[in-house]
């Protein structure tokens, strides 16, 4: 159920990238899609009713592994969010520069390259 | 030779360019010329280091953590081959940039980004687990997005925006694939993953993940249905960057990863490989035909890259040892001659200020080094017998026939002829014919630019000797066999 919601989020993002004409909207759609993927990654490591993946002092490592959610996807998502932020900053900077040059955010008017 | 523990060198391939990338920014504040010098020294060091890794293999655990917990960096003969290519082309490009980038403001930023790109590519080649591969891939990709936009003119920004949108889309597909594979196999380490996939065989979710990887990395390698960004992005970048993008980036983060995943991790069967074959053939045909119709010299070379990567992917898709040898050989060759041709195009633009073939002519007299080296590059890529491109294409075509794909072999021959046609077009229009009056008193190309082009041309000629038995066996056959032997690589 929740997996299909993730998929929906990814597809909404994908639709936005394909269908919108504004550069800024394309950027926002990409971010939505990225976060859909992040949620999917988190869900894969999730276990309902699991404890946070922090070892209590004195806890045996095998019982800990049986109780907690998987910490690895969380670390991955954290990394991926940071990468996403870098890409987002670059994309927004490009949008601003494109607006300075072409005077528009409309991708159908930003068409000098062809062939 | 030297008594160095190879395992110490492995993390340095990533750490050294990363550290110097930062250092160039600090050094350039004091002395602007220092950034170029530092970059060149670093690339020279990396080339020496990759020469030391020849014939070695090893595993490095980052921070000393053992395999399932820590991060692995792996070196094998396929990785060595790619490291050599990346760093040798990188050295030539760094040499060339010293003169070429003088025209741009803030050239120290260029060197920083360039080194980050090298970091990312070395990291992709060495990464032992799938998520770090993704991280290094993004490092290389983000650096390349900003390098494409480096000139900040209309076309460059537009091309970069197209590139970044499609690039992020493909990265998202790859990340979904990583998530799926982790969910199914419970590991990210590629060696462990391949073991577990071999146990279960290809089931439906794994097939979906493989499909996502094929889509994602085909974007990065610019195979035909996913190629739309390349003909815009590669010509828009400054010439040294185009050489790096077309010469090595699409191979290090596209073709290499496809080969690694298909053979080492998923152990792809014939039905999955047929997908690669068709992608390859389609890229060969479409790229080749579109290249023939271009008038912009760099755009022509960019389409030609799509076509040549098609040859490589066709060789991979055959899945036979001979096909793989041809693919790897063509990969190395293409890295040499395509980066050489882009540097030639850059030298032409540097001297004349135009890239339009129909406005050029007779440059053999004005720019002798560019003319001579571009002739080597053109003949190599077109597959004229003594040069390296001939041998690798011949091996791919023989492999097609051997595997029973007569149609593909015929297409490969036909597209080789198309390649010859458009390379002759470049030679005739730009370098032969008569020199227009406006170009009478062109200055010769600067020394370092000539040196870089001669280095790559010599590389093209040297690579044709790789077909000889004594050199072929340890290099190509070794890498191909190691790639084909599935299981923990």
């Amino acid at each position: 159920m929740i997996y299909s919601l993730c998929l929906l989020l990814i597809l909404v993002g994908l639709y936005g990238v394909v269908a919108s004409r504004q550069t800024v909207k394309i950027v926002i759609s990409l971010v939505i899609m990225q976060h859909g993927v992040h949620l999917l990654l988190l869900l894969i490591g999730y276990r309902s009713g699991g404890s946070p993946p922090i070892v209590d002092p004195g806890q045996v490592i095998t019982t800990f592994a049986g109780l907690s959610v998987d910490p690895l996807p969380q670390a991955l998502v954290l990394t991926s969010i940071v990468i996403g932020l870098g890409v987002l900053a670059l994309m927004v900077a490009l949008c601003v520069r494109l607006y300075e040059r072409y005077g528009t955010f409309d991708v159908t008017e930003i068409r000098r390259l062809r062939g | 030779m030297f008594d160095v523990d190879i395992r110490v060198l492995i993390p340095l391939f990533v750490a050294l360019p990363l550290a110097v990338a930062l250092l160039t920014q600090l050094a350039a504040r004091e002395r602007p010329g220092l950034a170029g010098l530092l970059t060149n020294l670093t690339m020279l060091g990396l080339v020496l280091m990759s020469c030391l890794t020849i014939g070695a293999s090893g595993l490095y655990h980052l921070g000393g953590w053992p395999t399932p917990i820590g991060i692995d960096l792996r070196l094998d003969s396929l990785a060595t081959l790619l490291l050599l290519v990346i760093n040798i082309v990188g050295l030539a490009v760094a040499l060339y940039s010293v003169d070429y980038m003088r025209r741009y403001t803030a050239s120290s930023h260029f060197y920083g980004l360039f080194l980050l790109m090298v970091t990312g590519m070395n990291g992709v080649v060495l990464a032992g687990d799938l998520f770090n591969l993704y991280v290094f891939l993004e490092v290389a990709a983000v650096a390349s997005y900003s390098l494409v936009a480096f000139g900040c003119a209309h076309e460059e920004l537009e091309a970069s925006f197209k590139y970044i949108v499609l690039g992020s889309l493909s990265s998202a597909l790859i990340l979904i694939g990583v998530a799926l594979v982790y969910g199914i196999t419970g590991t990210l380490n590629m060696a462990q993953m391949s073991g577990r996939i071999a146990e279960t065989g290809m089931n439906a979710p794994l097939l979906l993940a493989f499909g996502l990887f094929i889509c994602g990395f085909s974007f990065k390698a610019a195979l035909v249905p996913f190629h739309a960004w390349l003909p815009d992005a590669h010509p828009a970048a400054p010439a040294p960057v185009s050489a790096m993008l077309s010469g090595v980036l699409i191979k290090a983060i596209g073709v290499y990863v496809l080969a690694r995943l298909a053979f080492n991790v998923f152990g792809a069967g014939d039905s999955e490989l047929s997908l690669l074959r068709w992608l390859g053939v389609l890229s060969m045909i479409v790229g080749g035909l579109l290249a023939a119709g271009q008038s912009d010299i760099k755009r022509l070379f960019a389409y030609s890259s799509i076509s040549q990567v098609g040859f490589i992917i066709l060789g991979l898709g055959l899945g036979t040892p001979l096909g793989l040898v041809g693919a790897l050989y063509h990969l190395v060759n293409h890295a040499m001659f395509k980066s050489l041709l882009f540097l030639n195009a850059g030298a032409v633009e540097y001297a004349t200020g135009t890239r339009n073939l129909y406005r050029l002519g007779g440059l053999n007299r004005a720019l002798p080094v560019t003319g001579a080296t571009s002739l080597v590059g053109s003949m190599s890529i077109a597959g004229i017998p003594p040069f390296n491109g001939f041998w690798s294409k011949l091996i791919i075509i023989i492999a097609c026939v051997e595997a029973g794909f007569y149609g593909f072999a015929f297409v490969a021959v036909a597209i080789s002829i198309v390649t010859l046609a458009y390379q002759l077009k470049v030679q005739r229009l730009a370098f032969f014919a008569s020199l227009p009056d406006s170009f009478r008193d062109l200055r010769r190309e600067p020394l370092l630019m000539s040196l870089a082009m001669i280095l790559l041309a010599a590389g093209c000629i040297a690579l044709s000797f790789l077909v000889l038995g004594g050199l072929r066996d340890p290099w190509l056959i070794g890498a191909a066999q190691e790639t084909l032997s599935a299981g923990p690589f």
Side-chain angles (χ1 to χ4, degrees), chain B residues 336-417:
Chain B
M336 284 291 162
F337 49 63
K338 189 47 67 65
S339 38
L340 170 62
L341 287 172
F342 266 110
L343 293 187
N344 292 146
V348 168
E349 194 191 2
Y350 184 85
T352 64
T354 179
R355 299 199 309 237
N356 190 331
L357 280 171
Y358 294 100
R359 279 193 224 136
L360 297 168
L363 292 176
N364 266 338
R365 254 163 294 156
L367 304 168
V369 177
T370 310
T373 50
S374 85
L375 192 64
V376 173
S378 287
M379 294 303 105
S380 300
I381 195 171
I384 300 296
F387 291 104
N388 54 3
F390 170 74
W391 301 109
S392 50
K393 282 183 185 174
L394 187 69
I395 294 174
I396 291 176
I397 291 165
I398 292 175
C400 279
V401 173
E402 196 190 55
F405 297 107
Y406 299 108
F408 290 162
F410 175 74
V411 172
V413 174
I415 295 298
S416 300
I417 296 168

Side-chain angles (χ1 to χ4, degrees), chain A residues 23 33 37 41 44 70 72-73 76 80 83 87 90-91 94-95 97-98 101-102 110-115, chain B residues 131 138 142 145 152 154-155 157-161 164 168-169 172 175-176 179 182-183 188 232 299 303:
Chain A
T23 50
M33 188 173 164
V37 181
L41 248 176
I44 280 172
D70 188 350
L72 187 66
L76 303 190
S80 181
I83 295 173
V87 178
L90 187 59
M91 281 197 285
L94 277 177
C95 288
R97 282 300 187 99
L98 275 172
R101 298 280 168 182
Y102 287 85
I110 305 176
R111 304 188 62 104
R112 282 213 186 174
L113 297 168
R114 53 182 71 236
Chain B
F131 189 75
E138 283 293 275
V142 171
Y145 303 146
C152 278
H154 288 83
E155 288 84 3
L157 291 168
E158 186 186 334
S160 179
F161 188 73
I164 199 171
S168 315
L169 209 62
L175 196 56
I176 300 174
Y182 178 70
L188 283 170
D232 292 338
R299 213 175 167 80
Y303 274 113

Side-chain angles (χ1 to χ4, degrees), chain B residues 35-57:
Chain B
L37 183 68
L38 273 174
T39 309
N40 275 295
L41 287 178
T42 312
M43 290 317 298
L44 193 63
L46 285 173
V47 170
L48 291 179
M49 275 161 55
S50 27
C51 289
L52 282 180
T53 60
I54 292 173
S57 62

Side-chain angles (χ1 to χ4, degrees), chain B residues 85-231:
Chain B
V85 169
I86 293 169
N87 294 313
I88 289 176
V89 173
L91 174 65
V93 166
L95 272 177
Y96 184 93
S97 313
V98 174
D99 284 317
Y100 189 86
M101 295 309 290
R102 287 228 172 95
R103 296 185 301 169
Y104 290 84
T105 52
S107 66
S108 67
H109 294 175
F110 164 82
Y111 292 111
L113 287 167
F114 171 76
L115 283 171
L116 277 182
M117 194 159 83
V118 173
T119 308
M121 287 190 287
N122 283 346
V124 166
V125 170
L126 288 171
D129 73 290
L130 213 46
F131 189 75
N132 277 290
L133 193 148
Y134 170 77
V135 171
F136 284 126
L137 182 149
E138 283 293 275
V139 171
V142 171
S144 68
Y145 303 146
S146 29
L147 281 173
V148 168
F150 200 77
C152 278
H154 288 83
E155 288 84 3
E156 285 147 11
L157 291 168
E158 186 186 334
S160 179
F161 188 73
K162 216 179 212 179
Y163 184 22
I164 199 171
V165 168
L166 290 177
S168 315
L169 209 62
S170 62
S171 297
L173 292 180
I174 292 166
L175 196 56
I176 300 174
V178 173
L180 279 176
V181 175
Y182 178 70
I184 299 160
T185 63
T187 179
L188 283 170
N189 186 291
M190 290 201 276
Q192 287 188 334
M193 196 182 280
S194 80
R196 292 192 195 168
I197 290 175
E199 278 168 28
T200 59
M202 283 290 253
N203 48 26
L206 276 177
L207 214 54
L208 174 62
F210 187 64
L212 285 166
F213 283 133
I214 292 248
C215 287
F217 289 111
S218 299
F219 261 116
K220 304 282 185 201
L223 297 177
V224 146
F226 313 103
H227 71 289
W229 57 272
L230 186 141

Side-chain angles (χ1 to χ4, degrees), chain B residues 21-44:
Chain B
L22 187 68
L23 208 60
T24 52
Q25 302 309 301
L26 297 175
R29 285 191 192 167
E30 305 295 324
R31 293 264 304 279
L34 221 52
L37 183 68
L38 273 174
T39 309
N40 275 295
L41 287 178
T42 312
M43 290 317 298
L44 193 63

Side-chain angles (χ1 to χ4, degrees), chain B residues 465-479:
Chain B
F465 292 108
L466 209 60
V467 81
L468 300 175
L471 289 167
R472 183 186 57 209
D473 294 340
W475 286 72
L476 290 172
I477 311 271

